[in-house]
């Protein structure tokens, strides 16, 4: 299906240092699990078209980790002190999340301002969503699509941070209420029931739109809630010294389960993605369940799989997973924009993924050492006071302080400028809107004068042996957003043409539309169909269209051009179908636009004004081909009739 897209929530919900603050040792294996999750998502984003088609499940792995760790911290603090210091909890969250987030937003927004173009689309709303931890709901309100990479939003990956922050804000309050229930198994059951309800809600919503189902906090909380259930259920086990936990048989069984869970996560990430309940929440639930199993066998005392996950490399990545997550997607979008291609383009240079991967690790490591860790140790305001002291200190310290202030001022100014000039729509969306406006302003009469079937037949057997121009009033055009973007040029080239084009439409819609035109008596002699952009060609649908058109009408199929893996197959199917049916002609838009990619919008799909003229010319050439073929047939019939008459 669509790409794109999926961000993960690689927030170390509670690092080793943070758990120490509430009096417990770190959980074994979870840094390694964070590393596995973040690597799955990086592979999904940075190497589009690779085998990890569902690598976005990494976000759900992190949701489970966060639910487990946050609840475990709250349980430990309550057992130790008898209460929960809510202000202290929220302060630690802010200290952990805000500095790196502010750095990423301001630096990448300034970079986007320098580049310009589609990377700035809706940037003001994106920054607002980031600043208020409501990015997921801002995206829902703006009908954003996480899984499309046509014109990806610069900060789109922050949706999952918003979900987690909302969890961090609400769960400690609800935790106090849940803890009024004395039985921990009842508390566990309540959390599991909540997770099941959330998953059911996603499966219900996905039928009416993936964005709401995937981005909604309510519909995507099942991973967090399963983590909560794990924390309640394992509360006594993780601190137990029971001999059975250290028994060789128990440890071997735990290792086997852990290995199966890790392999299962990778296999799950390689499953094909579908825009329905089989993936949302089907595949996500599989990843959540495997993550829960892996956490359960990793955090128990003397866990071998937990120790194996705590290798130095995985721990290094896990400790920095928050920064890696924050930086990788904006860096990818910006570098792709600098190449002049789109994130979904098959022409994406092969060096982009590896370069972004290395750059992400380097920048995340610097952010971790120079920004995140110092502020976590000192706090937000003490860090500001330390900067003030540096400005008033020795010349060398003062110079460093001035440099920090100057850089901060530059990126803040750059972010402000970027927001000020950010367009509300991408170049592709602008092209589609221009087409919609053109259709609204030049809509033909609902009942234009058409040739009757017998007149059409007579015209086709006319004595004329030369091709005649096709008028717009003879043409029905059925298409998707590409045809919609080309509508101004089609209307100008064929006055009176009837265009029925809609965003995200596929070939499956064609029979219904053609049948409705036929039933209303408005079906014209020439039908142009451009419906290959959004999915595979259904030959049965084409057969139904031809059956409705009958022998007296002509079908013109427009090839597709888009940076999508299925497009070559679509165009081969269209050419093959036309070759098998003499009454079908191909308008090869893909071949016509290939030398003129610069005339497409930034998504490499929708034509601008000049590109639309090429689209219209491609249709005109196909119609000329039809007329020339008919003229040759008429000439042949005339010559044959003349020869027969001469014999008589």
């Amino acid at each position: 299906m669509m790409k794109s897209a999926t961000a993960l929530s690689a927030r170390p919900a509670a690092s080793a240092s943070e758990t120490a603050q509430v009096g417990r040792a770190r959980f074994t294996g979870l840094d390694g699990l964070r590393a596995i999750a973040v690597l799955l998502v990086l592979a999904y984003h940075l190497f589009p078209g690779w085998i990890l088609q569902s690598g976005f499940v990494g976000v759900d792995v992190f949701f489970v980790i966060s639910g487990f760790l946050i609840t475990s911290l709250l349980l430990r603090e309550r057992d130790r002190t008898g209460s929960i210091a809510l202000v202290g909890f929220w302060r630690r969250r802010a200290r952990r999340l805000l500095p790196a987030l502010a750095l990423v937003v301001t630096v990448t927004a300034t970079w986007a301002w320098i580049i310009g173009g589609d990377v700035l689309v809706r940037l003001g709303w994106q920054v607002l969503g980031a600043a208020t931890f409501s990015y997921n709901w801002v995206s829902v309100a703006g009908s954003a699509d996480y899984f499309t990479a046509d014109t990806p939003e610069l900060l789109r990956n922050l949706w999952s941070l918003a979900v987690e922050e909302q969890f961090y804000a609400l769960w400690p309050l609800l935790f106090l209420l849940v803890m009024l229930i004395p039985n921990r198994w009842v508390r566990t059951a309540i959390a599991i029931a909540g997770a099941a309800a959330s998953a059911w809600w996603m499966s219900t919503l996905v039928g009416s739109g993936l964005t709401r189902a995937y981005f909604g906090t309510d519909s995507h909380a099942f991973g967090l809630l399963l983590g909560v259930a794990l924390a309640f259920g394992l509360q006594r086990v993780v601190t137990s010294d029971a001999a059975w936990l250290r028994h060789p048989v128990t440890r071997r069984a735990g290792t086997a389960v852990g290995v199966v869970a890790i392999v299962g996560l990778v296999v799950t990430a390689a499953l094909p993605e579908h825009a329905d309940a089989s993936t949302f929440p089907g595949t996500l639930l599989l990843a959540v369940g495997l993550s829960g199993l892996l956490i359960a066998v990793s955090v128990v005392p003397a866990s071998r799989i937990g120790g194996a996950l705590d290798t130095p490399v995985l721990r290094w990545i896990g400790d920095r997973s928050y920064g890696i997550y924050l930086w990788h997607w904006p860096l990818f979008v910006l570098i792709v924009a600098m190449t002049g291609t789109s994130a979904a383009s098959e022409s994406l240079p092969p060096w982009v993924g590896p370069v972004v991967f290395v750059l992400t690790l380097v920048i995340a490591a610097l952010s971790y050492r120079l920004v995140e860790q110092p502020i976590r140790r000192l706090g937000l305001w003490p860090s500001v006071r330390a900067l003030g002291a540096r400005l008033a200190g020795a010349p060398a310290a003062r110079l460093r302080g001035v440099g920090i202030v100057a850089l901060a001022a530059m990126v803040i100014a750059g972010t402000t400028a970027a927001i000020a000039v950010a367009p509300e729509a991408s170049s592709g969306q602008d092209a589609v809107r221009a087409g919609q406006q053109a259709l609204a302003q030049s809509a033909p009469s609902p009942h234009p004068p058409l040739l009757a079937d017998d007149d059409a037949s007579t015209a086709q057997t006319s004595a004329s042996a030369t091709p005649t121009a096709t008028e717009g009033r003879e043409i029905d055009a059925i298409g998707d957003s590409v045809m919609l973007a080309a509508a101004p040029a089609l209307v100008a080239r064929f006055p009176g043409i009837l265009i029925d084009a809609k965003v995200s439409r596929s070939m499956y819609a064609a029979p219904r539309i053609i049948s409705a035109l036929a039933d209303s008596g408005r079906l014209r002699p020439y039908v142009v169909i451009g419906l290959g952009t959004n999915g595979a060609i259904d030959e049965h649908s084409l057969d139904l269209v031809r059956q409705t058109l009958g022998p007296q009408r002509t079908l013109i199929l427009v090839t597709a051009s888009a940076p999508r893996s299925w497009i070559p197959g679509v165009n081969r199917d269209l050419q093959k179908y036309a070759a098998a049916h003499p009454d079908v002609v191909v308008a090869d838009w893909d071949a016509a636009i290939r030398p003129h990619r610069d005339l497409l919008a930034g998504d490499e799909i929708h034509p601008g004004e000049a590109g639309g003229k090429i689209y219209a010319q491609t249709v005109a050439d196909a119609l000329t081909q039809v007329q020339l073929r008919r003229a040759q047939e008429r000439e042949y019939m005339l010559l044959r009739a003349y020869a027969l008459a001469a014999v008589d």
Side-chain angles (χ1 to χ4, degrees), residues 252-332:
R252 283 196 294 268
T255 300
V257 170
V259 170
V260 170
I262 293 172
V263 173
L265 279 175
V266 176
V267 171
T268 300
L271 293 175
E273 176 191 339
H274 303 287
D276 55 32
S278 65
T279 299
F280 308 99
T283 301
L284 304 184
L285 282 174
L286 182 57
V288 163
L290 291 169
S291 301
L293 281 177
L294 189 52
I295 290 173
V297 298
S298 295
V299 301
V300 296
S303 169
R304 290 176 177 173
I305 194 67
L309 287 172
D310 275 344
T311 59
V313 172
L314 290 180
R315 283 197 62 183
W316 189 93
I317 295 173
D319 283 340
R320 292 154 185 80
S321 57
Y322 176 52
I324 292 171
Y325 160 70
L326 286 180
W327 283 101
H328 86 281
W329 179 251
L331 288 176
F332 181 63

Side-chain angles (χ1 to χ4, degrees), residues 626-640:
V626 173
Q627 296 292 0
L628 180 60
R629 180 189 300 175
R630 289 178 177 173
Q632 292 171 342
E633 291 174 353
R634 289 194 295 270
E635 184 175 7
Y636 171 77
M637 294 300 295
L638 286 171
L639 290 173
R640 184 180 179 187

Side-chain angles (χ1 to χ4, degrees), residues 451 454-462 634:
L451 293 174
D454 55 345
D455 293 334
S457 177
T458 302
Q460 292 177 19
T461 58
S462 165
R634 289 194 295 270

Side-chain angles (χ1 to χ4, degrees), residues 384-395 397-405:
V384 173
R385 289 195 292 270
L387 177 60
R390 183 171 284 186
L391 291 172
R398 187 182 306 142
L399 182 61
R400 289 194 296 269
V402 169
I404 293 172
V405 172

Side-chain angles (χ1 to χ4, degrees), residues 450-454 456-457 460 474-478 507 510-519 521-529 540-557 577 581-585 626 630:
L450 301 176
L451 293 174
D453 288 347
D454 55 345
S457 177
Q460 292 177 19
E474 299 177 279
I475 306 170
D476 283 319
I478 315 299
M507 189 63 72
R512 173 182 53 80
I513 298 170
I514 298 299
S515 179
L517 288 171
D519 292 343
R522 296 186 290 124
L523 192 57
R524 300 177 175 192
Y526 301 92
V527 176
V528 179
I529 294 182
H540 178 64
S541 295
L542 290 176
D543 288 340
L544 291 176
V545 168
R546 285 187 62 252
Q547 181 180 347
T548 304
L549 294 182
Q552 295 150 339
R553 294 181 175 84
T554 302
L555 176 62
I556 294 96
L557 299 176
Y577 192 85
H581 302 89
D583 56 335
V584 179
V585 176
V626 173
R630 289 178 177 173

